Amino acid sequence: MKLGIVGLPNVGKSTLFNAITQAGAESANYPFCTIEPNVGIVAVPDERLDKLAEMYNPQKVTHAVIEFVDIAGLVKGASRGEGLGNKFLSHIRQVDAIVHVVRCFEDTNIIHVEGSVDPVRDVETINLELIFADMEMVENRTDKVRKMAKSGEKKYKVEIEFLEKLYAHLETGKPARSFDLSEDDAEFMKEIDLLTKKPIIYAANVAEDDFISGIENNDFVKRLTELADAEGAEVMPISAKIEEDISALEPEEKEEYLQELGINESGLDRLVKKSYKLLGLISYLTAGEPEVRAWTITNGMKAPQAAGKIHTDFEKGFIRAEVVAYNDLMECGSMVAAKEKGLVRSEGKEYVVADGDIILFRFNV
């Protein structure tokens, strides 16, 4: 999974990226300090792996990973190449989902590229640039399909009608993800790599005090939430400064610090959970003395395809999956006890894997 972190200059984007990846991307109080996209690979926090490691004492514990890409700040005119626009838009095309960092705090010491803090205006500034880029993509696709329509095939005429409706939708300033798709439309949509159809999380960057005391009285977050609700997006309040402090701590110190602040989990933990939900992803687990590991799959995937994530031979020669739910295994204390209680099931090719399933695949090639 690859997440692109975007935002206007000086909203806390690179500070947040540094904190959650500890990758050391430069952050400074001026636009365009991030010119090339910085990339950080982060292990997905999963306490289930820690518990399984205690049970199996494996040689190796392997977490699922997320790739974060810190994409340089966009400004008005990016779709026309302003700032370093074209390059940045191409970087956004390569990610699975967007984390849009929005400034929701006042600080006279940190310059705002627009001269004032206004989360709705800031979101619309970036969204419009992405929409303009998408409109150009739709125009190009329409021109291509018009040429193919000369063959007389009905499907091209239907696609042109879809493209014209989509263009009109974008023209009103609405993202492609809010366009109402029929089944046929969904097939046509796959043909266009639109920026605004990517799932998005708005990360509302608030001041430390606001985050600790509660963001109920933060008008910036309220306005951002109203905007997100209207387009079917998610908002996640976060303090880049707190995340920066957390990233410098050892695991035990981190837990103590979170307790002191009255926070249950770090921003990274919350962001991972929201990202998985947004993209329809889950994790199944494998456990044994050689390795305890998490495997990321699409929710709804059947056992043979899930086995293929480990190796293509597992999918080709799939016989069955021996499955136990994580919670059942923890309650029993061992695989032997789980088997004695009949909690280890033998599942076939039609079995839909559930989050937290611990699976041993049987295969033959």
Side-chain angles (χ1 to χ4, degrees), residues 113-183:
V113 71
E114 295 286 354
S116 63
V117 178
D118 184 338
V120 172
R121 178 205 58 210
D122 292 355
V123 165
E124 289 176 347
T125 295
I126 288 188
N127 279 356
L128 282 174
E129 295 309 320
L130 302 183
I131 287 168
F132 289 148
D134 281 353
M135 288 171 70
E136 186 177 347
M137 290 283 290
V138 174
E139 281 185 303
N140 292 339
R141 176 66 185 174
T142 304
D143 290 342
K144 184 178 178 181
V145 177
R146 284 191 196 283
K147 290 174 184 175
M148 293 189 289
K150 292 177 181 177
S151 66
E153 284 193 56
K154 185 181 176 182
K155 66 176 182 179
Y156 295 127
K157 182 183 177 184
V158 176
E159 184 173 356
I160 289 170
E161 290 173 357
F162 156 74
L163 291 167
E164 288 173 346
K165 287 188 293 182
L166 176 59
Y167 188 89
H169 176 83
L170 294 169
E171 212 170 17
T172 64
K174 296 176 182 176
R177 62 182 159 270
S178 67
F179 185 71
D180 190 18
L181 290 172
S182 67
E183 282 187 27

Side-chain angles (χ1 to χ4, degrees), residues 211 236-238 265-275:
F211 192 80
M236 189 186 88
I238 196 167
E265 52 190 352
S266 71
L268 173 60
D269 292 351
R270 291 186 297 121
L271 185 56
V272 167
K273 286 178 182 178
K274 278 193 176 289
S275 301

Side-chain angles (χ1 to χ4, degrees), residues 25-26 35 38 69 100 125 141 148 159 169 188 201 215 252 257 266 304 308 318 330 353:
E26 180 188 3
I35 295 174
N38 293 276
V69 183
H100 184 164
T125 295
R141 176 66 185 174
M148 293 189 289
E159 184 173 356
H169 176 83
F188 293 139
I201 296 170
I215 49 109
E252 289 182 6
Y257 183 59
S266 71
F318 179 88
M330 289 298 107
V353 176

Side-chain angles (χ1 to χ4, degrees), residues 4 26 60 180 194 288-289 297 345 349 354:
E26 180 188 3
K60 186 179 180 183
D180 190 18
L194 298 182
E289 288 184 9
I297 61 170
R345 313 182 310 274
K349 292 182 177 180

Side-chain angles (χ1 to χ4, degrees), residues 4 19 37 54 71 86-87 96 160 185 189 196 264 330 341:
E54 291 174 10
I71 299 168
N86 291 333
K87 199 170 188 179
D96 299 308
I160 289 170
D185 291 346
M189 186 71 94
T196 63
N264 295 326
M330 289 298 107
K341 291 187 177 181

Side-chain angles (χ1 to χ4, degrees), residues 1-3 96-97 199 274-281 298-299:
M1 177 164 58
K2 185 183 285 191
L3 300 180
D96 299 308
K274 278 193 176 289
S275 301
Y276 265 60
K277 183 180 176 183
L278 195 67
L279 293 170
L281 301 175
T298 304
N299 194 10

